[in-house]
Amino acid sequence: MPDSAALDHTASLVVDLGDRSYPIYIGTDLLKNTELLARHVPGDTAVIVSNTTVAPLYAEALRVGLSAFKNVKLVVLPDGEQYKSLDTLSHIFDALVDAHCDRQTTLIALGGGVIGDITGFAAACYQRGVPFIQIPTTLLSQVDSSVGGKTGVNHPQAKNMIGAFYQPRCVIADIRTLYTLPDRELSAGLAEVIKYGLLWDVDFLDWIETNMAKLRARDEQALRHAITRSCAIKADIVNQDEREGGLRALLNLGHTFGHAIESGMGYGNWLHGEAVGAGMCMAADLSHRLEWISAADLARVNRIVTAAGLPTQSPADLAIETLRDLMDNDKKVQGGRLRLVLLHGLGSALVTDKAPEELLLDTLRATHAQPSPL
Ligand code: NAD
Ligand code: GLY
């Protein structure tokens, strides 16, 4: 029977992709919700993929939620962005083959964006595709990576270079899992929340600015609103452009700068959200040089990112030339031309390959001062 207490507190959205549509559940006490899980796990075998940090915290509760299933297995991976690799992926395949998992096996990602991305890619590839569920446990994964079907692993020189679009059967975001998240990781998630306000919804940006202290204090209602509005914006964009033919590229605001910082510093040294925080300020700086946003808007972007506890500048010990070279590894590069997501006013973004190289270098020089390590 449905756990009505849990369902009553669950705000649901739908990613609308025809016969691949799926719900997003946002609420509390969802991991143990047997009815909810049974609704979305076909077959009788489920494999939970988690890591050494998250499994001890939440795998048992999820096992309780999966008590209706005959076979429940747990694969525990090492924790860290540096393990989002082809090597780690093959450990998942080894575990699935060793356990004779068939095509009816559902893979359940229990963790942050690293676990979600790698498990989703494993699900896309194993026996050419098995069912997959996202149970994101970081703010970043609840507002962004669990929604929209981007899965994959890193190449040593280029973030997320190997992967597939593969949609989950559902996303289950339990807000209370965020209570065990380190502060630094919460801030990293706020980067993606700010991103939605900057690129799509200036009213939401106002709300984020006003409620930043509550968000950082993990006020449940504030988190619920931030997650719900973020997922709604992401779903709206993915519904229109699932495979990033155009519009979806806007979701990469700050990411061309950020991915270069992440790979340049060595995966895991700067968190993805930290690199995106600095990257958004760098994108805002360049947008201001192009006279697309005012000096006051640029200052406001820096203020909001700072208030979230995030860096606003690239690391001083990553050479500007290296940073610039790494930006050319971005997936948005087309025909050798760098394409950047920039702001055109707050709440509005565009993709352009027209930013003059000299202005880009001015931005890289002007935003190159963040002491490291963070
Ligand atoms: P992460 O997965 O590394 O998680 C951050 C840290 O928090 C890890 O140490 C993890 O073990 C720990 N953790 C997770 N949940 C916890 C909890 N509830 N309590 C305590 N600790 C917990 O990092 P992330 O920020 O969640 O995700 C970043 C990754 O997501 C990057 O690889 C990025 O490229 C990817 N990403 C993907 C998409 C997409 O659309 N697929 C979008 C944005 C980011
Ligand atoms: N995080 C970027 C995207 O999902 O498209």
Side-chain angles (χ1 to χ4, degrees), residues 50-55 57-58 78-82 84 110-117 134-152 154 159-160 174-182 185-186 188-189 192 195-196 218 234 248 251-252 255 259 262 267 271-273 276:
S50 191
N51 69 22
T52 47
T53 304
V54 179
L57 293 169
Y58 299 112
D79 183 6
E81 183 74 37
Q82 63 274 36
K84 190 175 151 181
L110 176 70
V114 169
I115 287 294
D117 281 12
Q134 286 270 22
I135 305 191
T137 60
T138 61
L139 181 60
L140 186 141
S141 56
Q142 294 190 355
V143 300
D144 192 350
S145 62
S146 62
V147 175
K150 279 190 182 176
T151 71
N154 298 326
K159 270 282 288 183
N160 299 333
D174 192 318
I175 299 166
R176 293 202 182 142
T177 58
L178 302 181
Y179 294 160
T180 53
L181 198 63
E185 299 290 351
L186 189 84
E192 305 281 11
K195 175 187 82 175
Y196 293 113
R218 301 174 206 227
K234 181 148 188 187
R248 185 167 179 171
L251 290 172
N252 292 316
H255 284 57
H259 284 166
E262 275 189 274
Y267 296 124
L271 303 181
H272 175 72
V276 168

Side-chain angles (χ1 to χ4, degrees), residues 140 144-145 150 159-160 188 191-193 195-196 199 234 244 248-263 272-273 275-283 323 326-327 329-332 338-342:
L140 186 141
D144 192 350
S145 62
K150 279 190 182 176
K159 270 282 288 183
N160 299 333
E192 305 281 11
V193 177
K195 175 187 82 175
Y196 293 113
L199 72 90
K234 181 148 188 187
E244 203 166 305
R248 185 167 179 171
L250 299 184
L251 290 172
N252 292 316
L253 175 67
H255 284 57
T256 305
F257 297 100
H259 284 166
I261 294 173
E262 275 189 274
S263 58
H272 175 72
V276 168
M280 289 189 297
C281 295
M282 295 162 84
L323 189 59
L326 287 168
M327 288 175 74
N329 290 342
D330 191 77
K331 293 191 294 306
K332 285 185 298 307
L338 183 63
R339 294 160 71 244
L340 291 169
V341 185
L342 298 179

Side-chain angles (χ1 to χ4, degrees), residues 50-74:
S50 191
N51 69 22
T52 47
T53 304
V54 179
L57 293 169
Y58 299 112
E60 198 43 49
L62 184 54
R63 274 185 187 279
V64 171
L66 291 167
S67 52
F69 294 86
K70 272 199 229 117
N71 305 311
V72 178
K73 300 180 196 322
L74 175 64

